[in-house]
Amino acid sequence: CGRRLRDPLPEVTALFNAEQDILSLKLHEMQDLVPKEAYLERIEQFLITAVSSVGVSINQVIPHRHMHGLLQFVCGLGPRKAEELLRALAARASHGDSSMVESRAAL
């Protein structure tokens, strides 16, 4: 509960998953009248804009699993590339390399 109050964006982005948990959030009493695909597309666009406005610190995201959902909304990544990036960084850390990303070239 405290994470949601302190930083709600990672919590909301985590709901945008394959199970479409984001649909369980009732933001308006008439949202059920909007076609599901159009609603999901609009929410996705909003989350991309919000994440772009706030920014994401990759070094903060890596150790905190609840923040991993943010990466799928970074422009140019999407869900598959974000997951692959997290896998690559975790593999690098398991091989003894530093888990901190010092530059873009380190990605």
Side-chain angles (χ1 to χ4, degrees):
C1 182
R3 284 195 308 230
R4 276 183 281 197
L5 292 174
R6 207 163 166 218
D7 194 6
L9 192 56
E11 300 300 320
V12 173
T13 58
L15 295 174
F16 204 89
N17 52 29
E19 293 81 29
Q20 298 178 340
D21 291 334
I22 194 81
L23 295 175
S24 66
L25 285 179
K26 295 299 177 194
L27 303 173
H28 192 276
E29 61 191 32
M30 298 178 81
Q31 82 182 40
D32 294 330
L33 300 175
V34 178
K36 184 168 66 169
E37 294 78 24
Y39 180 72
L40 288 171
E41 184 179 319
R42 192 67 190 125
I43 292 290
E44 181 180 26
Q45 285 298 316
F46 172 79
L47 290 174
I48 289 170
T49 302
V51 169
S52 294
S53 296
V54 174
V56 176
S57 169
I58 189 76
N59 290 322
Q60 186 178 6
V61 169
I62 293 169
H64 301 289
R65 180 132 181 86
H66 74 279
M67 296 182 83
H68 288 184
L70 286 169
L71 288 181
Q72 68 180 320
F73 297 103
V74 171
C75 290
L77 284 184
R80 286 186 304 226
K81 288 180 186 174
E83 190 63 38
E84 188 58 37
L85 175 62
L86 287 169
R87 268 194 220 115
L89 291 172
R92 192 176 94 181
S94 70
H95 286 53
D97 293 338
S98 172
S99 62
M100 294 292 285
V101 177
E102 309 257 340
S103 68
R104 286 187 183 187
L107 292 172

